[in-house]
Structures are given as structure tokens and as C-alpha cells.
Amino acid sequence: MKQILDFSLLKTLTQLPGVSGREEAVQQYLVKKISAAASEIRTDALGNLIITRKGTSGKSVLLCAHMDEVGLMVQHIDDRGFLRFITVGGIDPRTLLAQRVRVQTKTGELLGIIGTKPAHITTEADRAKAIAIKELFIDLGLPAEEVKKRVSLGDVAVLDRAYEEFGANLFSSKAIDNRVGVFILAEILRNLPKPLHTIHAVFSTQEEVGARGATTASYGLQADVCLCLDTTGAADIPGVAVQDFIVRVGGGVGITALDARTITPQPLFNDLVNLCCEKKIPHQIRIAPRGGTDAGAVHISKTGIPSCSLSIPTRNIHSNVEVASKCDVQAMFDLVSCVVNKPWACLEK
Ligand SMILES: [Zn+2]
């Protein structure tokens, strides 16, 4: 019978601040929410949250979902109190114009607006130009002295946008990349009290800046196979040729054949596809010549761990209006549930 996923948990997770290297709020929330479902729970020096749930088969599966999101870091405060910033992780500057952010300061959050010159005072040529991050600023609406008291260089800002459900089973929010992977992994731990194989669940840090958390977490773990639960850009939008979609929103869980950092070993890839066919789990093949995930770090950890990225197709990825489908979330949950609970060819090799 299908498990009913609690999407209110996903909604909460998307709204927590967790720019790469500043994932504490997400980590602490998860500890409260799922520590009851752990045989062992620990954090490491990079802030990874590592939860082990003992199985009975003698085999172990590493499941990895990164907690961090792309964001901004304050680099300069000008004489009038406007903030200049750099990006943490890949953000297209065009998606930041006229958007709201939440600046995380030592005394709490401040709402900020990324300002833009109105059409009235720009020319057509101005508007046709590419925009650079260094042209943008955050307006906190406060006098400069007040800003300088409350904001420190190095403070981070998250994109600001509420979680909303819309259309045919879709949802949109900031940080779907990768709170949706975190959500599925949390639901796996909460819903499967006695997995067949031991689960090492890693909620990793700093994926968006180069899979840094997964590098140290996987070094400290012994696992027979690894699945990374993450998002991938879905280019299934007008103006893009079908062969360039990568994946389609609503088309099922993405099973990676290749991305810029990994090539999934053939036996693992085949087993995952066969499992989906056998259990009638909607799935699609992800071939993404650009981009990588935590699997890029895990599969070359120590003497190597066979790894595959499973992907939730996500439109407008790395923006504050990322879009994904509940059906794809269910498909990834179903596939991972099967993997940890059945005798699995890949683990016998
Ligand atoms: Zn991601």
C-alpha cells in the first residue's frame, strides 16, 4: 500500500534558511523531527547529520540528501546602508531582480529587497543588457547606522518565497533544491521502522559549492551502494527542443545514467530501472552533461562506492520559484523504499 507523504513537512523544510555552510537551522530541525527513528545519530566537523538505521541483511545502503541551498553573502555595506553581495552556489543574476531576500544576522532575520531601476528611467538598450551580480544591491529600508549595527560582512541571505501548491499536483517554493530530497529521506526514516539493509542517511552540507560535506561524510562510512536524493533542472519549457529537456516535471523519478561528475555503473543503473519497471514506478532516464551532485564525491570516496543520483525534475532550478511535482516525489520515495527493503541483485555482487 502506498505511504501517504506528509507534504506539510516539505513546506516547513523549504522555508528554513540553509545557505551552503550555514545549514544549522535545517540540521537542528531534522534532529528534532527524526532522531527517534535512528539507531545512531551524529554530526561531523562539516555539519553533516548522519543517521544510521540498522538492518538485518549485513548489507548497507548510503542515502544522501544535501541540506544546503543557493544564496547570497554580504560583501560590502555602502554609505547609505545598501548591501552588496556575492552568490553562494550558482544563481542567474536575472532571477534576482526585484525579488525579496531574508538576511540572516546575529540578531535575527531582516527582510531585504533586491532593487532594480524602473522602466521609466532606463532605455531599451539598458534593459537588453545582461545584468551582473555586482550591479545588484539589497535594500533593507533602514538608516545606514542601523544597518551597520545589525549586519556583518559574511552574513548570508536566503531567497524569499512561500511554498505554494498549484496546477496538477505541482508545488513551488525557494529551496526545493534540495529540501525535497531531505524530505524524502526523512520520510523514509520515519516510515520504515525495520529496513532489510542498514541505512546510513547522510543529510549533507555544502553540495552547492562542490559536494564538500558528502566528501567527508562518505569517507567515514562503509557502504555497499549509494543513492543521492536530489533535484535536477527540468528544461521542459517552451523554446527548448525535446531532446534538451533532460527530464520532464511529472515524468517520474530521474535515474541518472551520466552527469558531469558521475557515470552510474551499469549493474546499478540496470537494477534501478528494472526495479521501477517491476514495481510500476514512474521513472525517466537522466543524462545531464552539465551539473553534478553529491554522488560525484561519494563514488570516488576511498576505494569507491557504486553510486547513482536519483533526481526530482525541477523547473526554474536555483531560483525562488522552483517547481516540482508531488507525483515525482512519490515515485522517488517508492523507489528508495523498495531498495532498502528488498533483497537486491546489486548488493549481492
Ligand atoms: Zn541539489
Side-chain angles (χ1 to χ4, degrees), residues 130-152:
I131 188 105
I133 291 290
K134 63 179 190 318
E135 297 173 65
L136 301 176
F137 57 87
I138 299 170
D139 179 359
L140 293 174
L142 291 169
E145 317 79 69
E146 184 73 13
V147 172
K148 285 177 180 170
K149 244 189 270 167
R150 297 177 69 173
V151 179
S152 307

Side-chain angles (χ1 to χ4, degrees), residues 25-155:
V26 184
Q27 189 215 72
Q28 285 159 15
Y29 179 78
L30 286 169
V31 168
K32 265 196 286 174
K33 208 73 194 168
I34 54 180
S35 53
S39 315
E40 290 166 34
I41 181 165
R42 65 186 170 92
T43 55
D44 71 4
L46 264 77
N48 296 300
L49 175 64
I50 302 166
I51 291 176
T52 295
R53 170 73 72 67
K54 287 266 187 328
T56 52
S57 70
K59 301 287 179 183
S60 60
V61 180
L62 170 54
L63 299 175
C64 193
H66 71 87
M67 295 185 285
D68 60 313
E69 67 190 283
V70 295
L72 313 174
M73 181 177 276
V74 178
Q75 185 192 28
H76 175 73
I77 303 169
D78 80 9
D79 292 343
R80 293 191 295 149
F82 292 108
L83 310 181
R84 298 292 182 150
F85 57 84
I86 61 161
T87 57
V88 181
I91 300 181
D92 181 342
R94 294 174 304 164
T95 65
L96 291 174
L97 281 172
Q99 299 294 337
R100 304 197 317 195
V101 296
R102 290 187 269 134
V103 183
Q104 313 295 305
T105 77
K106 53 187 175 294
T107 54
E109 266 189 356
L110 294 172
L111 181 70
I113 310 294
I114 299 181
T116 179
K117 280 187 199 164
H120 314 72
I121 59 164
T122 53
T123 64
E124 215 164 293
D126 287 337
R127 293 194 292 275
K129 264 194 329 204
I131 188 105
I133 291 290
K134 63 179 190 318
E135 297 173 65
L136 301 176
F137 57 87
I138 299 170
D139 179 359
L140 293 174
L142 291 169
E145 317 79 69
E146 184 73 13
V147 172
K148 285 177 180 170
K149 244 189 270 167
R150 297 177 69 173
V151 179
S152 307
L153 301 188
D155 283 350

Side-chain angles (χ1 to χ4, degrees), residues 165-181:
E165 298 184 353
F166 73 112
N169 288 312
L170 302 191
F171 54 93
S172 178
S173 175
K174 79 165 187 72
I176 288 174
D177 180 9
N178 181 38
R179 300 302 149 66
V180 72

Side-chain angles (χ1 to χ4, degrees), residues 66 177-178 207-208 230-231:
H66 71 87
D177 180 9
N178 181 38
E207 188 272 349
E208 297 292 357
D230 205 337
T231 56

